[in-house]
Amino acid sequence: LRGLEAAGADAIEVGIPFSDPVMDGPVIQEASRRALLDGATPTSVLGIVKEAGLGVPVAVMTYANPVWHAGLEAFLDACVDAGVSGVIVPDLPVDEASEWRNACAEASVAPVFLAAPGSPEQRLRAIGEASRGFVYCVATYGVTGERERLAPTAAELVARLRVLTDRPLLVGVGIAEPSQAAKACAFADGVVVGSALVRPLLEADAAAALRLAGAFRAAIDTT
């Protein structure tokens, strides 16, 4: 985590593993499986975030089951104690999130919602209004994981949201290479990179992950 901050990350997303990561593709699924086998829990992950003591914002991503199992207030209190600024819960739809949004407001933690290609304007507006921190713009259909090229749906989605919300719009899902990140930042406010950085970690090569993070940073800075 400290290495990612040193590589120039503006913010860092930390995954809290769950046994049924329905949004995630093979790389994150395998990372979750290994983490759970090693005994990872929400408490242990948040403990690592707290220990890192980062100077950039941290958002955690997990699924609704662990959050509700812990209890909304208890989970958010633990996030605040760890220094977490925002939480992404991809399987919680915005129209079922009023309780979650209220709890986040009480805790001063930003709830981040996902906007998907093909969503109607009314739903995109609701997502923009409900999100704090940023809106997670899903670049393409399907689960997380690298793609050979940046999908055209990414720019279309950002353009549709741009007139509906003043929240920063970050593109994620499918960002595999620095060149794709640079292309996305030509129309979006940033990118979320997950699988591309986790893949070398599965091969026990943290140094490669950090070199790639630096390459993403450098590519973005050229746009």
Side-chain angles (χ1 to χ4, degrees):
L1 293 175
R2 292 170 181 159
L4 288 171
E5 181 178 35
D10 296 298
I12 298 175
E13 176 191 320
V14 179
I16 296 177
F18 179 53
S19 58
D20 188 19
V22 293
M23 182 185 170
D24 291 304
V27 172
I28 304 296
Q29 286 183 22
E30 177 62 12
S32 296
R33 185 188 71 82
R34 292 191 196 180
L36 292 170
L37 284 176
D38 285 344
T41 66
T43 299
S44 70
V45 173
L46 291 172
I48 291 169
V49 173
K50 183 176 182 178
E51 180 183 354
L54 301 176
V56 296
V58 176
V60 294
M61 176 171 166
T62 190
Y63 289 85
N65 188 291
V67 176
W68 261 257
H69 184 267
L72 304 189
E73 291 77 12
F75 181 84
L76 289 167
D77 285 347
C79 287
V80 171
D81 181 66
V84 168
S85 301
V87 182
I88 306 165
V89 186
D91 59 340
L92 178 64
V94 67
D95 48 344
E96 298 178 13
S98 58
E99 183 183 4
W100 171 241
R101 291 173 60 192
N102 290 338
C104 286
E106 287 290 327
S108 297
V109 172
V112 177
F113 290 90
L114 281 72
S119 296
E121 179 177 330
Q122 182 178 0
R123 188 170 189 82
L124 292 180
R125 187 185 300 277
I127 290 168
E129 292 174 352
S131 291
R132 298 292 181 268
F134 65 94
V135 179
Y136 192 130
C137 301
V138 180
T140 187
Y141 297 99
V143 295
T144 62
E146 302 106 312
R147 305 293 199 275
E148 291 184 358
R149 61 184 62 86
L150 183 66
T153 46
E156 295 167 5
L157 178 60
V158 169
R160 293 177 63 207
L161 276 162
R162 189 69 76 186
V163 297
L164 300 175
T165 180
D166 58 1
R167 304 291 179 203
L169 305 177
L170 274 61
V171 170
V173 180
I175 306 293
E177 299 176 352
S179 60
Q180 294 174 349
K183 185 176 181 180
C185 285
F187 57 82
D189 300 308
V191 292
V192 181
V193 181
S195 296
L197 296 177
V198 171
R199 186 181 294 280
L201 297 180
L202 293 178
E203 300 169 358
D205 195 349
L210 294 177
R211 286 195 300 271
L212 182 57
F216 274 107
R217 174 79 264 176
I220 290 170
D221 285 341
T222 64
T223 59

